[in-house]
Amino acid sequence: MTGRTAVPEVIWARPERAGRGPRAAHSRADIAAAAVRIADADGLEAVSMRHVATELGCGTMSLYNYVPRKEDLYELMVDAISGEHEPWEPTGDWRADMLRVAHQTRALMHRHPWLPRLMSPVYGFSPNALRYLEHCLVCLDPLDASYGTKIELIAMLNGVVTTYVGNELATAERTRSLPWSAEQEQAMRIAYLGSRIATGAYPRMAAAFAQDAGPIDLEAVFERALGRVLDAFEPKG
């Protein structure tokens, strides 16, 4: 297929358009924006080279002159969304700044629900991703740790946010597909769980529910998860 190579290649190291001919009709930003519009409207499954080409008003084969593989198209999409991170002047409180980063990332993933499925360290070195990482490292300047440790912190925080949002989105999607309300299902499952615990076969579970019967504050759980990650990087002593 046009543009494919048999060796690893970074899309950002390629010229905007392969081959000779007239000036490029579309920029990478145009292509990424078209793919993001499709994904936002119809889901990641709707993103194809043909669909993006149609959105841009060009032929599918000509699109391969700009983007040799669908994986490269995904990388353009992730980079485009990375550009939605809004940097700010760090406060000097690295924990507060990284919590702000985490909340911004969570909001961004809810705006683009397909994004958690594409999160990969392979895409971490695109132009906008590099700007995001540099901003995070500036926020972490007050932390007395090596750069390797700081990058590990960023990765772990992103992992928690991605996992948490992925679960939120999956739960919401499942709820939309059910013929009853989320409250009805929760009541039914709690009743069933109570009947199992009442058998005496699960004494530790019984003790746990006696200690805290709920409901679970999911926002508080999210905050605690972030805090525990940051706690692990606090300088000791």
Side-chain angles (χ1 to χ4, degrees):
M1 193 169 285
T2 304
R4 285 189 178 272
T5 64
V7 296
E9 185 178 52
V10 179
I11 183 68
W12 311 106
R14 287 170 54 90
E16 283 267 333
R17 180 180 183 277
R20 299 177 180 177
R23 182 179 175 181
H26 306 288
S27 68
R28 283 183 182 145
D30 295 333
I31 295 167
V36 166
R37 285 195 299 273
I38 293 167
D40 285 349
D42 301 314
L44 189 61
E45 293 78 6
V47 177
S48 67
M49 300 297 273
R50 177 176 296 179
H51 199 165
V52 172
T54 299
E55 180 80 8
L56 291 170
C58 68
T60 303
M61 294 308 295
S62 68
L63 187 60
Y64 282 102
N65 289 319
Y66 300 89
V67 186
R69 303 177 307 150
K70 189 174 183 179
E71 292 78 7
D72 294 321
L73 181 60
Y74 287 159
E75 187 160 358
L76 293 182
M77 294 169 68
V78 173
D79 180 69
I81 303 308
S82 296
E84 293 184 19
H85 277 282
E86 299 177 2
W88 61 88
E89 188 65 31
T91 65
D93 181 341
W94 66 268
R95 287 184 67 106
D97 285 334
M98 292 312 296
L99 285 172
R100 182 173 174 180
V101 168
H103 282 283
Q104 191 178 89
T105 300
R106 183 186 182 194
L108 187 151
M109 287 183 174
H110 275 284
R111 287 201 301 273
H112 307 284
W114 47 270
L115 183 60
R117 293 173 56 186
L118 292 186
M119 294 303 290
S120 166
V122 173
Y123 298 156
F125 303 104
S126 65
N128 284 323
L130 285 172
R131 282 189 282 272
Y132 160 78
L133 286 170
E134 183 68 18
H135 174 67
C136 288
L137 289 172
V138 172
C139 291
L140 289 171
D141 273 346
L143 176 62
D144 184 15
S146 69
Y147 280 116
T149 298
K150 291 176 181 180
I151 290 173
E152 185 178 331
L153 184 159
I154 297 166
M156 290 181 68
L157 207 63
N158 278 337
V160 168
V161 175
T162 301
T163 300
Y164 195 89
V165 174
N167 288 336
E168 285 182 312
L169 295 171
T171 299
E173 182 176 352
R174 180 180 182 279
T175 299
R176 285 193 295 270
S177 70
L178 295 175
W180 49 73
S181 70
E183 291 75 19
Q184 287 175 309
E185 178 169 27
Q186 183 180 33
M188 175 269 296
R189 292 188 177 277
I190 288 174
Y192 171 77
L193 182 59
S195 71
R196 296 299 86 206
I197 289 175
T199 65
Y202 311 99
R204 290 168 183 79
M205 288 292 293
F209 277 93
Q211 192 175 79
D212 186 0
I216 298 173
D217 184 340
L218 295 177
E219 290 300 315
V221 170
F222 181 64
E223 294 296 337
R224 284 197 297 273
L226 297 179
R228 285 167 179 161
V229 169
L230 298 180
D231 287 345
F233 291 89
E234 281 279 10
K236 301 300 186 289

